[in-house]
Amino acid sequence: MKIDIKKTIEEKIKKNISHFKKDMKFDVLPTEKEEFGDFYTNISFRLSDKENPPQKIAEMIKDKILPDLKGVIKKIEIKNGFINFFIDENVYRKHVLNIFQNGKEYLKEDIGNGKKVLIEFVSANPTGPLTIAHGRQAAFGEALSRILKFSNFKVVNEYYINDAGKQMELLGESLKARYYQLKGKAIEIPQEGYHGEYLVDIAKKIQDIKDDLEFFKEFGYNEILKDIKEDLEKFGVFFNNWVRESDFIKNNDVEKIVKFLKEKGLIYQKDGSWWFKSSIFGDDKDRVVIKSDGSFTYLATDIAYHKYKIERGFDIIINIVGPDHHGYIPRLKAVVKSLGFNLENFVVLIVQLTTLYRGKEKISMSTRKGQFITLKDLIKEIGPDASKFFFLFRKIDSHLDFDIEIAKKQTTENPIFYLQYAYVRLKHVIEFAKEKGYEIEKIEDKTEILKEKEEIELMRKIWVFNDVIEGVVKNYGVHLLAEYLLDISKKFHSYYQKFRIVSENRDLTEARLILTKSLLTIFETSLYLLNISLPEKM
RNA sequence: GCGCCUGUAGCUCAACAGGAUAGAGCAUCUGCCUUCUAAGCAGAGGGUUGCGCGUUCGAGUCGCGCCAGGCGCACCA
């Protein structure tokens, strides 16, 4: 594993300023600009007062810690009160060589320490096909899951199937109506029901009918769930568990937990129904769990479900939801808290909606009328990889504008082609070198030859990979990795244009092949984590 | 009315626990192909970070108040 420069600097500073103050808080962060070196610290601002301006303190600290950082830090400069650290390039060279020799495994870093994480995502009702909103959630959830696993978390992907309650009744009734419409009978779909064309297709498949609602419900459920699973598989998204809401009712789990909460005084009767005291756990008001007709609300089954989540001993529970569920979050947090789970480890991530465009034209979506572009349509039109990349390279909080025309274009307007081109070039260089007789595996350390500014910069970018991963894990910001990949693509394109990798100079070529191969490892690893595959040739 | 998200270059978006001169891509303009893929590269222009006040050494980032857009406020799931 690579050395942690940040931590090293932090430790040396702490050691040398202990006489100042105890528990001093300060940052050691990567810089944005070359002239400021690779890392900087703001400690001088923290320690400064009227007699001792930041500049003066910085000078004092600099002289003390420089000898301690030999071999890691080349020089220290002070500017505007900041202390800037310039990393010894040999640190980069060694790192690149390690990646070259050990591949992907060397990039792994233990952030999770084996902690168990449950990610619940998509969880679309089995009443219709997956939408692009689900697509964004699916792409995000899968990538997050992969990155967490890569960072030594133990991750379970879970899909919660809402197959109980009124929505399923409506599905059954809607399908029944469609079926009889096909037989020439004028039966109306309930107004609240599902009017999408997909139910016609499903109705056509019905052969041996039993004329009760249960049959239509079950038939519709099975067909739609099958369809959802197919879509997700095509999209490259996989779940370890499929949990059915109805099971919690069938197994009396809901009944049991409701009884338990009643006994604890957390569920009480009022106005003919039973209410959960969510307000004492931070919700705005209390919520109904048993309706006046005696049936459970969705919240009731969700309590049972979250109890099931907690019982399985996860350290972190992540729920990925759409913005239409955000009003529900305080309720859910109240549930989790009432079950004794630490809210700090219960994370709800809201993935904002995506607006589709064809050029300037906005594609309006109405799920009610069944006029929407489904995830299936999108995958069919632009492919799973382009779709995923577009979903992933913006942070989830932003409302995403997704132009189908751009995603289809084979020009630089389309970021995924830019990426693809860099990837293909990397591969091609390696192939070309092999044709010229270079045995890549046998190349020995020649990284000291890498001295060009662009080479140092590329090595620095490679070095930063782990920081990016750390950022993703800390902030659940998968887009950071996608951006990183675009950034490193740009650096490589530029380098490739300016310098020849495979040249007459054998040593130089080998040194550059080490760099190229390491870059390829970075690419392959990142693409795997984002769950995107790219063609080998263009 | 209340709550969540968003507002940054002409367009789409970055900016990790508040750090230095706010960055990319597209679009526009100017250059670069006998050598590993020009689907590329180099360079230029483009900004009062929606508005106002505050917190502090320092604010796109934090707080308060406005303005605008999206979404949500069920005994639906």
Side-chain angles (χ1 to χ4, degrees):
Chain A
M1 208 164 66
K2 76 172 196 179
I3 47 164
D4 191 336
I5 291 188
K6 224 165 109 173
K7 211 178 236 167
T8 310
I9 294 174
E10 255 167 32
E11 275 164 15
K12 300 300 177 199
I13 293 177
K14 273 182 190 156
K15 201 180 95 189
N16 281 291
I17 59 147
S18 51
H19 60 285
F20 270 104
K21 281 178 203 166
K22 292 244 158 76
D23 301 327
M24 170 58 57
K25 265 196 172 177
F26 62 95
D27 302 313
V28 176
L29 295 169
T31 57
E32 304 263 310
K33 285 204 168 62
E34 218 178 313
E35 57 170 316
F36 299 145
D38 299 290
F39 287 91
Y40 70 92
T41 177
N42 54 8
I43 188 163
S44 24
F45 291 96
R46 296 291 132 82
L47 288 173
S48 69
D49 52 36
K50 274 169 198 161
E51 283 107 76
N52 301 294
Q55 193 77 17
K56 188 175 156 194
I57 289 172
E59 299 286 353
M60 284 163 65
I61 294 173
K62 175 191 163 183
D63 294 339
K64 282 194 169 177
I65 58 177
L66 187 54
D68 260 6
L69 289 167
K70 213 175 164 196
V72 179
I73 297 301
K74 186 171 61 177
K75 63 172 174 174
I76 296 179
E77 275 179 8
I78 291 161
K79 231 174 204 168
N80 306 337
F82 291 94
I83 305 176
N84 296 323
F85 300 89
F86 292 75
I87 294 181
D88 190 326
E89 281 116 19
N90 286 323
V91 172
Y92 293 147
R93 292 193 181 102
K94 190 147 182 256
H95 184 62
V96 167
L97 182 72
N98 269 316
I99 295 173
F100 173 74
Q101 288 170 340
N102 305 309
K104 186 178 171 181
E105 285 307 305
Y106 188 75
L107 290 170
K108 283 190 180 170
E109 226 168 336
D110 183 359
I111 303 175
N113 202 12
K115 276 188 190 154
K116 287 178 74 184
V117 183
L118 178 71
I119 309 183
E120 184 216 323
F121 62 115
V122 186
S123 296
N125 291 354
T127 53
L130 293 177
T131 63
I132 53 161
H134 298 125
R136 191 177 182 191
Q137 290 167 37
F140 175 77
E142 177 69 27
L144 181 62
S145 170
R146 286 175 179 229
I147 294 166
L148 289 177
K149 275 179 205 153
F150 186 75
S151 309
N152 195 26
F153 288 87
K154 296 217 160 31
V155 188
V156 170
N157 293 6
E158 192 157 283
Y159 188 116
Y160 183 52
I161 310 168
N162 304 131
D163 63 341
K166 199 173 160 189
Q167 301 303 321
M168 293 307 293
E169 302 291 323
L170 284 167
L171 174 71
E173 283 171 27
S174 306
L175 181 60
K176 191 175 170 182
R178 283 298 193 197
Y179 176 77
Y180 283 110
Q181 281 173 6
L182 286 174
K183 297 278 169 203
K185 294 186 188 171
I187 296 179
E188 289 284 304
I189 296 171
Q191 203 170 1
E192 302 274 272
Y194 298 94
H195 297 255
E197 285 295 309
Y198 59 91
L199 282 186
V200 180
D201 298 333
I202 292 174
K204 282 178 187 162
K205 292 185 185 169
I206 299 176
Q207 290 186 343
D208 306 314
I209 79 148
K210 270 189 256 158
D211 196 13
D212 61 0
L213 193 60
E214 213 43 45
F215 169 80
F216 286 103
K217 255 169 74 173
E218 196 59 25
F219 197 92
Y221 167 84
N222 284 325
E223 286 295 319
I224 291 173
L225 193 65
K226 201 175 92 192
D227 183 63
I228 287 175
K229 286 186 175 179
E230 275 171 17
D231 281 355
L232 288 169
E233 200 177 312
K234 255 186 239 160
F235 205 46
V237 174
F238 300 98
F239 288 91
N240 304 96
N241 290 332
W242 297 77
V243 178
R244 290 183 72 158
E245 182 187 8
S246 60
D247 283 347
F248 292 110
I249 298 170
K250 272 188 216 153
N251 303 339
N252 293 327
D253 289 331
V254 184
E255 214 172 299
K256 276 184 226 157
I257 186 70
V258 165
K259 190 173 167 232
F260 175 74
L261 291 172
K262 275 181 190 170
E263 279 162 11
K264 279 184 83 178
L266 292 172
I267 288 178
Y268 63 93
Q269 196 167 22
K270 197 185 89 181
D271 305 332
S273 45
W274 291 83
W275 299 69
F276 173 55
K277 273 192 181 173
S278 49
S279 60
I280 62 168
F281 299 107
D283 197 3
D284 300 341
K285 53 181 182 184
D286 294 347
R287 308 287 176 171
V288 172
V289 284
I290 304 177
K291 304 180 214 168
S292 43
D293 68 3
S295 63
F296 295 117
T297 63
Y298 178 71
L299 181 63
T301 45
D302 233 0
I303 295 174
Y305 177 37
H306 280 82
K307 180 169 169 277
Y308 175 57
K309 281 188 182 179
I310 293 166
E311 276 169 357
R312 282 177 284 165
F314 290 104
D315 298 296
I316 300 168
I317 294 175
I318 300 176
N319 289 18
I320 298 173
V321 299
D324 51 334
H325 281 69
H326 86 255
Y328 189 74
I329 295 169
R331 225 170 297 178
L332 211 51
K333 285 192 171 166
V335 168
V336 168
K337 199 173 171 190
S338 76
L339 294 171
F341 192 76
N342 186 352
L343 275 190
E344 270 179 38
N345 298 321
F346 180 64
V347 182
V348 182
L349 300 173
I350 302 172
V351 178
Q352 294 295 331
L353 291 178
T354 301
T355 313
L356 280 184
Y357 287 83
R358 280 190 194 281
K360 295 264 176 225
E361 190 198 345
K362 192 171 169 177
I363 301 172
S364 70
M365 306 235 231
S366 165
T367 36
R368 209 183 52 244
K369 290 177 189 160
Q371 295 170 340
F372 44 71
I373 289 212
T374 58
L375 181 60
K376 203 193 303 290
D377 297 336
L378 186 72
I379 295 174
K380 208 171 175 185
E381 188 163 353
I382 66 171
D385 293 307
S387 310
K388 277 184 273 193
F389 187 75
F390 270 79
F391 283 137
L392 291 177
F393 93 126
R394 299 304 182 206
K395 63 176 175 197
I396 54 170
D397 314 275
S398 64
H399 308 255
L400 181 68
D401 282 350
F402 189 147
D403 187 341
I404 296 183
E405 293 306 319
I406 288 181
K408 275 161 73 177
K409 272 186 193 164
Q410 313 234 331
T411 68
T412 52
E413 253 184 282
N414 184 354
I416 194 163
F417 273 88
Y418 188 78
L419 211 95
Q420 183 174 322
Y421 193 35
Y423 175 70
V424 168
R425 272 182 158 174
L426 281 167
K427 288 221 145 197
H428 195 262
V429 168
I430 304 275
E431 285 310 309
F432 183 80
K434 279 182 185 163
E435 278 168 28
K436 290 268 171 192
Y438 285 93
E439 293 179 79
I440 309 282
E441 289 72 25
K442 290 187 182 161
I443 294 175
E444 291 180 9
D445 183 11
K446 297 201 169 146
T447 48
E448 79 275 1
I449 305 174
L450 299 171
K451 285 192 176 116
E452 299 290 347
K453 203 179 106 208
E454 286 82 355
E455 288 165 341
I456 307 284
E457 185 52 33
L458 270 173
M459 289 194 284
R460 192 185 168 190
K461 274 285 162 213
I462 291 174
W463 171 269
V464 160
F465 175 83
N466 295 85
D467 299 310
V468 175
I469 294 294
E470 202 185 319
V472 174
V473 171
K474 269 188 190 165
N475 307 298
Y476 305 107
V478 170
H479 71 285
L480 295 171
L481 184 58
E483 286 218 334
Y484 168 76
L485 213 44
L486 280 174
D487 188 28
I488 208 163
S489 302
K490 186 182 163 62
K491 291 270 174 357
F492 176 68
H493 279 309
S494 175
Y495 176 67
Y496 179 92
Q497 200 78 27
K498 193 163 173 185
F499 301 94
R500 235 192 119 71
I501 295 165
V502 180
S503 66
E504 300 301 315
N505 182 336
R506 194 164 182 95
D507 285 338
L508 183 62
T509 299
E510 291 190 345
R512 287 180 173 169
L513 282 172
I514 291 174
L515 180 60
T516 307
K517 185 81 193 307
S518 311
L519 274 170
L520 188 60
T521 301
I522 293 277
F523 256 75
E524 285 171 341
T525 308
S526 303
L527 288 168
Y528 166 77
L529 293 175
L530 293 173
N531 194 19
I532 291 169
S533 51
L534 292 179
E536 306 289 304
K537 282 213 157 57
M538 287 171 72

